[in-house]
Amino acid sequence: MKILAFAGSSSSQSINKKLVQFTCTLFNTKNIDFIDLNDFEMPVFSEDKEKNGIPKQAYSFAQHIDNCNLIVMSLAEHNGAYTAAFKNLFDWTSRIPNRTVFENKPILLMATSDGQKGGQFVLAMAKNRFPFNGGVVLDTFSLPEFSKNFKEGKGIINEELLLSLKSKVKKIEQEL
C-alpha cells in the first residue's frame, strides 16, 4: 500500500502536518509519499487565469494522487473552512480535464486545532464535499486541543483519542 500524506496547511509549524506524520507511523507500511502544500503554490484560481492554462503544480498534485492507494490528510481550519492554500490547489486540480480531484481514492480525513472542536467545521465541510470530487472518505478523526493532547516525539498522549485513531487505522488497513 502506498500512502499520499499531507496537511492542508502552508504553515512551516503546521500542527496538522505533525498529526499526519504521526498517523502515518501507525500504518504497516513505509511506502509513504509526504508532500508539502508549499511545493504547489500557484496563482489564485480564476477563470481569467485559467485561460493561460492549468499550472503544472496542479498536474503534479494530481499525479501524486494517481500514484497512491490511500490519502491521509489533515486539514487546517481557517474561519471554519479550508485554508486558502488548500482551496486553491483543490480548485486548480478540479479544472484538469477528464478527472475528478481525488479519482475515487480512499481518504482518512483528519483535522486538529488548539481549540476544543479540533477542526470539526472543516471536517464536516470536506466530508460532505469530497465525494462530489471523487473522494471516498473512509473515516474521519478530530484531535481537539492539540497542545494538550499531542507531544513532540510521543504523538497523541490522550489514551482515548490514541485508541480511537489506532482503531480507525486498523479498520482502514483491513478494508484495503
Side-chain angles (χ1 to χ4, degrees):
M1 170 171 45
K2 182 172 184 180
I3 296 174
L4 170 60
F6 64 92
S9 170
S10 59
S11 170
S12 64
Q13 301 300 311
S14 171
I15 60 177
N16 283 279
K17 183 184 288 185
K18 292 174 185 179
L19 177 59
V20 165
Q21 290 170 332
F22 172 74
T23 300
C24 286
T25 68
L26 302 177
F27 282 90
N28 289 319
T29 184
K30 300 295 182 218
N31 194 1
I32 302 168
D33 178 17
F34 287 105
I35 60 172
D36 186 320
L37 289 193
N38 291 305
D39 295 331
F40 300 91
E41 285 189 21
M42 297 174 271
V44 174
F45 175 80
S46 74
E47 290 180 359
D48 292 337
K49 290 183 180 163
E50 185 181 14
K51 290 176 185 172
N52 295 323
I54 297 169
K56 66 181 179 185
Q57 294 92 329
Y59 287 101
S60 176
F61 180 66
Q63 186 161 8
H64 284 279
I65 292 170
D66 293 343
N67 292 334
C68 78
N69 305 103
L70 172 68
I71 300 169
V72 176
M73 76 171 87
S74 187
L75 298 173
E77 184 176 276
H78 288 186
N79 298 313
Y82 316 118
T83 63
F86 176 76
K87 180 68 166 77
N88 194 50
L89 179 58
F90 181 86
D91 288 344
W92 276 113
T93 305
S94 76
R95 303 304 290 176
I96 296 173
N98 303 312
R99 81 168 286 127
T100 61
V101 174
F102 299 111
E103 291 294 295
N104 299 312
K105 298 291 180 164
I107 300 171
L108 172 55
L109 181 61
M110 303 183 298
T112 189
S113 73
D114 273 322
Q116 292 181 352
K117 297 213 185 280
Q120 289 288 335
F121 294 115
V122 74
L123 268 181
M125 176 188 290
K127 183 179 178 185
N128 291 324
R129 178 70 234 164
F130 288 178
F132 293 101
N133 298 94
V136 180
V137 178
L138 298 179
D139 215 332
T140 62
F141 178 77
S142 168
L143 181 63
E145 298 177 309
F146 181 86
S147 296
K148 177 180 171 184
N149 291 312
F150 191 98
K151 295 292 180 220
E152 292 286 335
K154 291 187 177 183
I156 297 173
I157 58 171
N158 176 302
E159 195 63 31
E160 184 178 326
L161 292 168
L162 178 58
L163 289 174
S164 173
L165 181 57
K166 284 181 174 181
S167 173
K168 291 170 188 284
V169 166
K170 183 177 181 179
K171 181 181 173 203
I172 288 170
E173 286 184 319
Q174 290 171 344
E175 290 177 16
L176 300 179

